[in-house]
Amino acid sequence: MLLGTAGAIITAGGLHGFSSIAGPVFLALILTIAVSPLRRFLIRRGVRSWIAALVALVVVISLLLGLAAALALSLARLATLLPTYQDTFGQLINDVRVWLAHRGIGNQEIQRVLQALDLGKALGILQTWLTKLLGVFSDLGFIIILLFFMGMDANGFTARLTEAAKHRPGIARALTSFARGTTRYLVVSTIFGLIVAVVDVGVLYLLSIPLPWLWGLLAFITNYIPNIGFIIGVVPPALLGLLDNGWTTLLWVIIAYCVINFVFQSIIQPKIVGDAVGMSTTLTFLSLVFWGWVLGPLGAILAIPLSLLAKALLLDADPSTRWVNGLISSNDGPKGLDGS
């Protein structure tokens, strides 16, 4: 256990050290897996394998470019919008000062509270985080090259995996399970992310929140971040609602996001698709923290697929360690060693 822990720490530190390379490589791998159903569908329809791979490559690159362009345009609009709220924020500070004073709180305590309320710092943090999110696409050229080569290699990967299964059947089964689990997770997250984003945009339009499409895009992206993605997605529109229309709008934004998130992701999604990940809530959160530290914002977005990859290589590939799956699974109830 000590040697394994030491090896894991060294490996994590190494990945963190060259995250600028490891991040795009992992992203290209996950995207290649994501579009593999499209490539296989085209091949079954009689399309040549290299044409199917090229079509899948064009689709994923188009999605990447469109997402990056939309995020960059929205950030540019946000940068011009934020300075206009400085006076409004000053008025809110005065209102808070009066409210606290009426409740018997001394001037020194009020001053300490108000010093923590700095619009420039708060909006600066928001803009920095969104800029880092856009930075995920800064190595777009490198990612596209990786996608091209991985897409071409994907054509013969099934045959190579079948050959490897003759010598290492455990690893072959583990990698196949990883690919299927990742594809299912991405499909589920994308479908429900789009639904939640569209509903969020409609609500933000009704509440007259500035830049509703930016916050819808943010809601879609943060849908891939487990556990805390919803919180990240609700803070910016709620803050702008406060600055634009007051405390009532802030509360309505938070209530609307909570209801939408609960209905779609806690009620509808589990009933339709069940558990697409198969990991406990605690392990999911720890995966988010770990991969976020290793790869930054990109690691937070890819936390679940990367954890599934680590699980496949470290647990599923070795029969002697498969019993650990029963401890980290999100499924309830006792199971046998065979998983039944």
Side-chain angles (χ1 to χ4, degrees), residues 65-105:
L65 291 176
L67 191 61
L71 192 56
L73 179 61
S74 299
L75 278 176
R77 294 183 58 192
L78 180 64
T80 61
L81 178 66
L82 292 180
T84 63
Y85 289 107
Q86 191 66 46
D87 293 338
T88 304
F89 185 76
Q91 182 61 44
L92 286 173
I93 291 295
N94 291 331
D95 293 341
V96 172
R97 186 191 303 274
V98 172
W99 186 84
L100 293 175
H102 285 168
R103 278 148 184 81
I105 300 177

Side-chain angles (χ1 to χ4, degrees), residues 82-147:
L82 292 180
T84 63
Y85 289 107
Q86 191 66 46
D87 293 338
T88 304
F89 185 76
Q91 182 61 44
L92 286 173
I93 291 295
N94 291 331
D95 293 341
V96 172
R97 186 191 303 274
V98 172
W99 186 84
L100 293 175
H102 285 168
R103 278 148 184 81
I105 300 177
N107 289 331
Q108 293 183 351
E109 289 80 2
I110 293 176
Q111 192 62 31
R112 282 197 295 266
V113 171
L114 296 181
Q115 284 177 351
L117 299 176
D118 188 340
L119 178 63
K121 291 181 180 179
L123 297 182
I125 294 174
L126 170 61
Q127 198 160 3
T128 299
W129 194 90
L130 291 174
T131 302
K132 287 183 178 180
L133 186 60
L134 181 61
V136 170
F137 303 99
S138 60
D139 297 321
L140 198 56
F142 181 47
I143 295 174
I144 290 175
I145 293 174
L146 285 172
L147 284 171

Side-chain angles (χ1 to χ4, degrees), residues 230-244:
F230 158 72
I231 299 175
I232 297 174
V234 73
V235 169
L239 179 60
L240 281 186
L242 170 63
L243 295 174
D244 205 56

Side-chain angles (χ1 to χ4, degrees), residues 191-207 209 212 215-216 219-220 222-223 229-231 233-234 237 251-270:
I191 292 175
F192 281 90
L194 286 172
I195 295 174
V196 170
V198 170
V199 176
D200 285 344
V201 169
V203 170
L204 294 177
Y205 264 115
L206 291 176
L207 296 175
I209 304 297
W215 311 129
F220 172 73
T222 55
N223 186 67
F230 158 72
I231 299 175
V234 73
L251 291 176
W252 275 116
V253 170
I254 295 176
I255 292 173
Y257 265 67
C258 290
V259 171
I260 293 169
N261 180 78
F262 178 76
V263 170
F264 283 100
Q265 298 181 345
S266 299
I267 298 179
I268 299 178
Q269 180 175 333

